[in-house]
C-alpha cells in the first residue's frame, strides 16, 4: 500500500491492481450486435439503429491505449409506432459483461449523444425484475408501467416473443 501524493494523508491506494478507467468508444451496429449476441441475457441483436456506442476499459499504459469493450448501447427509432414522432429515440439494447458502472455510463452517454443530434426525448424499457439502479444513477426517471404482449398477430405473423418477455415493462425516460 502506498499513500498518494494528491490525496489526504488518510487515503491509501493499492498498487497491486492498477485501476482501469471506463472510456466511451464509437462502435458500428454490426460490432454492437455481435456483443449483444454474445452477452445479452434474453434479447437478440436488433435490425437497425440510429447510432451505437461502447464503453471500454482503458488497459493501456498511456502511450499505447488498449480498449477492451465491456458494454454496448444501441439507440434507434422507438419500437412503438405511436412514440415515433421524429424527436424521440429509444435505447433498444444495452448490454454489458457486468463491469461496475458500465450501464450508467452508457445510459448517460446515449442521452448526451441523442441531445447532440437534436432529439428531445430518449426512452427505454426494462423488465420489472430489473432494478433500474443504473438508470436512476444516470438521471433517468421511471414514467410508468406499459403492457407487454407479443408482436405476432394472425394477419401479421412474427416470430413468437419468448414467454418471459411478454409481460408488462417499465418505461424510463432520460431527464
Amino acid at each position: 500500500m502506498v499513500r498518494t501524493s494528491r490525496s489526504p494523508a488518510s487515503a491509501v491506494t493499492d498498487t497491486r491492481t492498477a485501476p482501469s478507467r471506463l472510456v466511451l468508444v464509437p462502435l458500428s451496429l454490426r460490432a454492437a450486435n455481435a456483443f449483444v449476441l454474445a452477452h445479452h441475457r434474453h434479447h437478440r441483436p436488433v435490425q437497425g439503429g440510429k447510432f451505437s456506442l461502447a464503453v471500454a476499459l482503458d488497459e493501456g499504459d498511456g502511450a499505447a491505449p488498449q480498449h477492451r469493450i465491456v458494454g454496448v448501447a444501441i439507440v434507434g427509432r422507438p419500437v412503438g409506432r405511436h412514440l415515433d414522432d421524429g424527436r424521440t429515440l429509444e435505447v433498444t439494447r444495452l448490454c454489458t459483461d457486468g463491469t461496475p458502472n458500465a450501464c450508467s455510463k452508457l445510459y448517460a452517454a446515449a442521452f448526451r449523444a441523442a441531445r447532440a443530434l437534436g432529439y428531445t426525448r430518449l426512452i427505454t424499457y426494462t423488465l420489472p425484475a430489473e432494478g433500474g439502479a443504473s438508470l436512476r444513477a444516470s438521471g433517468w426517471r421511471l414514467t410508468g408501467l406499459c403492457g407487454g404482449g407479443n408482436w405476432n398477430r394472425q394477419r401479421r405473423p412474427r416470430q413468437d416473443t419468448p414467454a418471459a418477455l411478454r409481460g408488462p415493462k417499465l418505461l424510463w425516460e432520460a431527464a
Side-chain angles (χ1 to χ4, degrees), residues 78 82-83 85 87-90 111 114-115 118-123 125 140-141 143 171-174:
H82 63 283
L83 294 172
D85 58 6
R87 308 290 285 164
T88 302
L89 288 179
E90 178 181 336
F111 184 48
R115 274 193 317 201
Y119 292 93
T120 58
R121 187 175 183 214
L122 184 62
I123 62 170
Y125 297 90
W140 291 56
R141 62 183 169 84
T143 60
L171 174 62
W172 297 82
E173 185 171 340

Side-chain angles (χ1 to χ4, degrees), residues 74-155:
I74 302 172
V75 179
R77 291 173 50 201
V79 175
R81 65 180 180 226
H82 63 283
L83 294 172
D84 193 5
D85 58 6
R87 308 290 285 164
T88 302
L89 288 179
E90 178 181 336
V91 177
T92 55
R93 294 290 184 278
L94 190 128
C95 177
T96 73
D97 65 359
T99 299
N101 302 319
C103 289
S104 297
K105 188 162 186 94
L106 285 166
Y107 279 124
F111 184 48
R112 288 191 307 270
R115 274 193 317 201
L117 292 170
Y119 292 93
T120 58
R121 187 175 183 214
L122 184 62
I123 62 170
T124 195
Y125 297 90
T126 62
L127 297 174
E130 298 169 330
S134 296
L135 288 155
R136 284 189 299 279
S138 55
W140 291 56
R141 62 183 169 84
L142 180 62
T143 60
L145 185 67
C146 299
N150 189 349
W151 290 105
N152 190 33
R153 300 288 182 260
Q154 186 174 358
R155 292 180 160 223

Side-chain angles (χ1 to χ4, degrees), residues 60-71:
D61 59 5
Q66 292 181 328
H67 296 144
R68 179 174 59 88
I69 293 176
V70 296

Side-chain angles (χ1 to χ4, degrees), residues 13-22 57-60:
T13 303
D14 185 350
T15 57
R16 291 173 294 170
T17 58
S20 297
R21 209 169 65 92
L22 288 174
L57 286 175
D58 183 2
E59 297 175 333

